[in-house]
Amino acid sequence: MTGQGSHTAAVQKAAIHQRAVHSAGALALALLVATLLLAAAGAAVGSTGWEPLWSDGGAASSAVLWDIRMPRTLGAWLAGALLGLCGAVAQGLFRNPLADPYLLGSATGASLGVSVLLVLAGASPMAAAGWGARLGLTGAGFAGALMAVLITLGLARGVQHTLRLLLAGVVVGMVCGALSALVMFRMPEVMLTVQVFMLGTTGFLGWASVQLLAVVLVLCLAASVLFSPALDALSLGETTAASLGIRLAPVRMALIALMALGTAAAVAQVGLIAFVGLVAPHIVRTWIKPTHRWLLPLSALTGGVLLLAADVLSRWLLAPQELPVGVLTAVLGGGYLVWLMHRRPL
């Protein structure tokens, strides 16, 4: 009887796993279809609203399509995917559904690093169009993000106390934001451009940005999936994770470095984009309850769809004027979280 009961339990477990895989696959397919539809919309929306160019064979139309709209569309999706992925990592690492990539002050630290580099170089983000310049922006953003994260961890005395960590992140974020404003104040000629950049914009994206974001996304996604069993174990508590053989200190440091790199790359290319990293994992969990092996890539897909949709709306709603995409994601993401909190506790 014991053997028969074990066999039945194994069959039920296999059936549950199969249903979870099917649900995750269906969600991934839906997100990919949404990505393709939004990419087509992004290629058709210009400075004056809806104006598809693929039927026009002119050289000017082709240049607008392939040199402006397509890199902006693909770059917006890649930046959103990075934020969604880093949000899922943050929520798993800190076992906090309100964690996001900006929790440890990494975003404002990255913005400080980018601001310092732009002011020292005397250039705007639009002028930094080549691979070397974009790599320099990302490197400066990563240095600033890593500095902010290390200061936050030092103030919080590790990651054991969530409240201390949240308070330290708020303090470091405010200080880095103030320093960014002070740095920009020292060079008024680039202040306006950098302010637009920090509000969140996809207008500075080019093919160099797309290539760089794609490389960082592949690296971060591969590394995070590699650490997904550790995140599953951490969801059961640190004591349980340690009893399962998880080396907590190296895992934490690796995941924090991953978050810093992904967040810095996104912030360096599109500025401060609110709520995408926080909301994307929640949307995935609303539909399915996956392990981190599925949650991480699905959150990346969801984040890409969210930011690309916001980018298309920001270009189309008030055309020919353009809304800052970071402001739009804050309004939409904040509204979604209010609805989610009203519907059920986080």
Side-chain angles (χ1 to χ4, degrees):
M1 294 296 293
T2 303
Q4 184 178 1
S6 300
H7 176 71
T8 303
V11 170
Q12 292 176 344
K13 184 177 180 180
I16 293 173
H17 175 73
Q18 192 69 18
R19 285 196 298 270
V21 170
H22 286 165
S23 298
L27 180 57
L29 180 61
L31 290 170
L32 289 173
V33 171
T35 297
L36 293 176
L37 294 175
L38 287 169
V45 175
S47 59
T48 60
W50 184 266
E51 46 178 1
L53 297 176
W54 45 76
S55 59
D56 188 350
S61 298
S62 178
V64 169
L65 178 62
W66 294 106
D67 295 339
I68 298 176
R69 295 187 189 176
M70 288 307 297
R72 178 170 182 170
T73 297
L74 295 175
W77 187 91
L78 290 167
L82 272 173
L83 292 174
L85 174 64
C86 292
V89 171
Q91 292 175 14
L93 177 61
F94 300 116
R95 305 193 307 281
N96 187 339
L98 293 178
D100 72 349
Y102 303 166
L103 174 67
L104 304 182
S106 57
T108 49
S111 70
L112 175 60
V114 171
S115 300
V116 170
L117 179 63
L118 290 175
V119 169
L120 290 178
S124 70
M126 183 65 78
W131 244 101
R134 287 294 173 178
L135 192 61
L137 286 176
T138 301
F142 178 69
L146 191 60
M147 174 200 68
V149 167
L150 291 177
I151 293 174
T152 300
L153 292 177
L155 291 174
R157 300 173 187 171
V159 298
Q160 289 80 11
H161 304 288
T162 303
L163 182 58
R164 287 183 63 90
L165 193 66
L166 290 172
L167 291 175
V170 169
V171 171
V172 172
M174 292 180 65
V175 171
C176 288
L179 290 176
S180 296
L182 181 61
V183 168
M184 289 186 292
F185 180 75
R186 296 292 298 173
M187 197 167 182
E189 55 268 30
V190 299
M191 182 186 299
L192 181 59
T193 303
V194 176
Q195 283 178 337
V196 172
F197 181 73
M198 293 311 167
L199 282 175
T201 179
T202 56
F204 301 126
L205 291 169
W207 285 115
S209 300
V210 171
Q211 295 168 12
L212 184 59
L213 287 169
V215 171
V216 175
L217 177 61
V218 170
L219 291 176
C220 290
L221 184 59
S224 63
V225 171
L226 184 65
F227 283 103
S228 60
L231 288 171
D232 289 334
L234 279 170
S235 66
L236 302 174
E238 293 187 358
T239 303
T240 303
S243 68
L244 293 173
I246 303 299
R247 300 175 61 190
L248 296 179
V251 166
R252 285 198 196 100
M253 292 308 299
L255 290 173
I256 287 171
L258 184 153
M259 285 172 50
L261 175 60
T263 303
V267 170
Q269 308 306 320
V270 298
L272 297 177
I273 303 294
F275 280 105
V276 170
L278 175 60
V279 169
H282 284 287
I283 293 177
V284 175
R285 295 192 193 97
T286 299
W287 292 95
I288 59 175
K289 305 297 182 184
T291 62
H292 280 88
R293 184 173 182 178
W294 282 100
L295 177 63
L296 295 169
L298 287 174
S299 296
L301 287 172
T302 305
V305 168
L306 289 175
L307 186 52
L308 182 52
D311 178 53
V312 172
L313 285 175
S314 70
R315 287 186 267 163
W316 175 70
L317 283 176
L318 298 179
Q321 292 183 327
E322 183 175 321
L323 289 170
V325 68
V327 174
L328 190 59
T329 58
V331 173
L332 296 178
Y336 173 78
L337 283 180
V338 168
W339 172 81
L340 190 66
M341 293 172 67
H342 176 72
R343 184 184 176 199
R344 60 183 174 85
L346 292 176

